[in-house]
């Protein structure tokens, strides 16, 4: 028997439809929501670890997250509703679906934009610069996106165009998201997987760049924005789900495609601008003016004094005799000066 003739083509199966939710008594748990929750937990863990290594107040990261997370969820939902309005405002739209986020539909750019507003409020209350929180938190944010995308797999949604690649995604023919007029058994690009892998690679990239270059002042955030939009651009082009279509310069594309292009250009420009600013020594403190802890100030001043003394004395071994000699010389100079002589202490 020819084994090749009976070998099934490789593909990625989708979970059974009843895997998308389960019941605990009267409570219905949606797997999509669990994926989002798992992503948030991992993001908080990674951010808290990086926060401690940066020497920032441990409680501040949680105070900021309390504001950023709910704002981000609301912003993500609003962006989804605006970018895919037919299900809510169309001929057969249902406004009651808007708050039902467990059905899927969180736009990342709405989440980042409104989440930044929440983070800004939290940062103002904690005395931390928003750019500090952004730089510390973006690897965790990208990790959350990688995990959260698996919620689309459980919901059998947001897949790409038909394909014959070995890793094509199976979608149940009776699923509401299965494209009309498409033959049962058709495989689709697993765009959820593409984006998840792209995000995981981005986490490794951001951590490596931060370790190598110690990026501050918001620069790591804008690298994240440029990297993610670059990947989202080609992934979005593959997707076939309903979306708002926009025409620019005679070219019609999904709203998210144009958003990705615009943000990619803007992010690169911001990174270049901040890098030039950093080269001029204008990155500044991690804290808002007037909120820098005294111990940190004292420690920095001590480090500066140590460097100054070392450079003045030439070697560490001769630093103490040098300070003693300077003190003796200063006293001799004061005693030898006459009243009214320039430089005399009055």
């Amino acid at each position: 028997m020819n084994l090749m003739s009976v070998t099934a083509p490789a593909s990625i199966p989708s979970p059974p439809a009843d895997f998308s939710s389960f019941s605990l008594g009267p409570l219905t748990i949606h797997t999509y929501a669990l994926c989002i929750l798992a992503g948030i937990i991992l993001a908080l863990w990674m951010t808290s670890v990086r926060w401690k290594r940066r020497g920032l107040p441990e409680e501040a990261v949680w105070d900021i997250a309390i504001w950023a997370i709910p704002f981000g969820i609301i912003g993500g939902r609003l962006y989804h509703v605006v970018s895919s309005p037919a299900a809510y405002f169309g001929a057969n739209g249902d406004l009651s679906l808007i708050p039902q986020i467990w059905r899927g539909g969180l736009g990342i750019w709405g989440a980042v934009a409104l989440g930044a507003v929440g983070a800004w409020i939290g940062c103002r209350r904690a005395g931390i610069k928003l750019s500090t929180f952004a730089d510390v938190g973006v690897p965790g944010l990208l990790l959350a996106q990688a995990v959260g995308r698996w919620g689309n797999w459980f919901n059998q949604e947001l897949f790409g165009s038909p394909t014959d690649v070995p890793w094509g995604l199976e979608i149940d023919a009776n699923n509401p998201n299965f494209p009309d007029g498409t033959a049962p058994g058709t495989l689709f690009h697993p765009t959820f997987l593409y984006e998840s892998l792209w995000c995981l690679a981005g986490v490794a990239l951001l951590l490596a760049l931060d370790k190598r270059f110690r990026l501050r002042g918001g620069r790591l955030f804008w690298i994240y924005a440029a990297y993610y939009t670059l990947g989202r651009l080609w992934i979005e082009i593959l997707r076939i789900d309903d979306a708002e279509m926009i025409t620019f310069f005679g070219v019609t594309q999904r709203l998210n495609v144009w958003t990705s292009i615009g943000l990619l250009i803007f992010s690169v420009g911001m990174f270049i601008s901040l890098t030039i600013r950093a080269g001029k020594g204008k990155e500044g403190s991690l804290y808002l003016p007037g909120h820098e802890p005294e111990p940190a100030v004292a420690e920095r001043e001590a480090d500066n004094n140590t460097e100054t003394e070392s450079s003045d004395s030439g070697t560490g071994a001769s630093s103490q005799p040098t300070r003693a000699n300077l003190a003796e010389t200063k006293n001799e100079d004061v005693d030898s000066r006459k009243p009214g002589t320039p430089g005399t202490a009055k």
Side-chain angles (χ1 to χ4, degrees), residues 64 119-130 288-289 291:
I64 298 170
W120 176 80
I121 295 173
C123 286
R124 296 287 297 180
R125 293 166 62 90
I128 305 291
K129 285 184 177 179
L130 178 59
L288 290 172
H291 291 272

Side-chain angles (χ1 to χ4, degrees), residues 44 50 72 78 81 99 104 154 189 193 201 226 239 247-248 254 257 276 292 308 328 330 332-333 346:
L44 287 173
R50 287 171 50 78
L78 291 177
V81 171
F154 284 98
H189 278 289
L193 179 61
R239 283 169 48 171
T247 301
F248 282 127
R254 299 161 65 92
V257 170
I276 294 173
E292 192 163 354
T308 303
E328 293 173 2
K330 183 177 180 180
E332 292 173 359
D333 289 343
K346 298 181 179 180

